[in-house]
Amino acid sequence: MTKNNTPRALAVEALTRVSNGAYSNLQLEQTLENNNLSDVDRRFVTNLVYGTIQHQLTLEYYLEGFIKPNQKVLPWVKMTLLVALYQELYLDRVPKRAIFNEAIQLAKDRGHEGIRRFVTGVLHAIDRQGLPDLSKIEDPTKRLSLEYSVPEWLVTAIQKQVGDDKAVSILETINQPAAQSVRVNTAVATTEEVEQSLKDQGYTVTPSVVAADAFRLDDKAANQSNVFETGELTIQDESAMLPVEALQVRPGDQVLDACAAPGGKTTQIAALLDAHSGGKVTALDLHPKKVDLIDRNAERMHVADRVDAVALDARNIDDRFPHKEFDRILVDAPCSGLGLIRRKPEIRYEKTPQDIQQLQKVQLGILDVVSQKLKPNGILVYSTCTILDTENADVAAKFLAAHPDFESMRVTTKLNVKGDRDTDTLNIYPDDFDSDGFFVSAFRKKK
């Protein structure tokens, strides 16, 4: 390897781009595609990128004590130090000597002699003096924030919503690797056929306890399987499959997927429809490029004859479709995405309480408009991939208060997830089933 494409150098470069606004998953994917790495090195780069982001608040807190106040540090130099700290603290099998040597070499290769001396001095000072003990922080909110690398406002919000013990359980979970799950495309294959095919290809296959027709896979990436190529399965988190289960789709239904890209739920709906009976799902997205992505997914999954993808903001639906047009409507709304922190760890640092309040207005605006397009006795499902009540239960309550022609329905799923709960709505927290955080609510339009 050259000095510019060692795993640590690639991780620092990717992290620097993420700090400038790039999405971690897309930046990592691009980094891995553009460099010919072994499987071991690909996993190492992935670990360094996601791990450093997941623990960034903690790492920055430790680093502060070894940098002079108001001293300017270039972003890539800071990332070099954070990556080194992450390895020393969280990766048991990486020798300290290798960590220090590579960080110092990277500083020498990318910067000038002053930067090399700075990085060397900081790392040796950390080695000599040690790091502060987080358990001695007196403020409990600040302590949890730094221990789990989650902003204090979010720690407080989760505690207020679920209590201290559950909050800690959630915080512990979100820094763990996300499971790999897939949904069988029942339009073209049975779960038994796909399961056997995956096992024959060397996958460890575990049936989901959250969603029907779903598996967890270990040992290899799902998109390397032949059943992915043939459209017999798609990659989708187990929790994300539940909103469509709650829709109770029938073969001949007219269904609106109001916020559809990239099309995972659209194709899930389409697999339940029968084109010969007139069943169709109309999938909306604001951006034409994302509408193309929906179409491509529908083609790969062999359900394009049941999908009509349209470039349209759901809030501007009035002129496009008449009232009482659809039997079922899914609003998988734009949200903070805080249920996806394990997959997009930088989300926790980007969102603010003000963002959450603004998103609630958008969510209610979409619901208000699209609900007029539902037939009497039809079902409207509202879902998000976040865990905050402001975007979830509060939105459901406000929608019902403003629309007396709708009534709340109990969310039902095929595997009766959380069947003993005392609410109509369904909250899935990351620590419940080791899946993404999700919220699902359902409403019926009165006759």
Side-chain angles (χ1 to χ4, degrees), residues 406-421:
F406 278 82
E407 60 186 357
S408 177
M409 288 179 58
R410 182 175 178 83
V411 170
T412 59
T413 64
K414 293 182 179 179
L415 298 184
N416 195 30
V417 176
K418 289 191 168 182
D420 60 348
R421 69 185 190 279

Side-chain angles (χ1 to χ4, degrees), residues 360 364 389-399 439:
Q360 187 192 81
L364 287 167
D389 280 349
T390 304
E391 301 176 79
N392 293 342
D394 293 356
V395 170
K398 289 184 177 183
F399 172 75
F439 171 81

Side-chain angles (χ1 to χ4, degrees), residues 259-279:
C259 310
K265 296 178 185 66
T266 301
T267 58
Q268 186 181 358
I269 293 167
L272 302 171
L273 298 173
D274 179 8
H276 297 295
S277 302

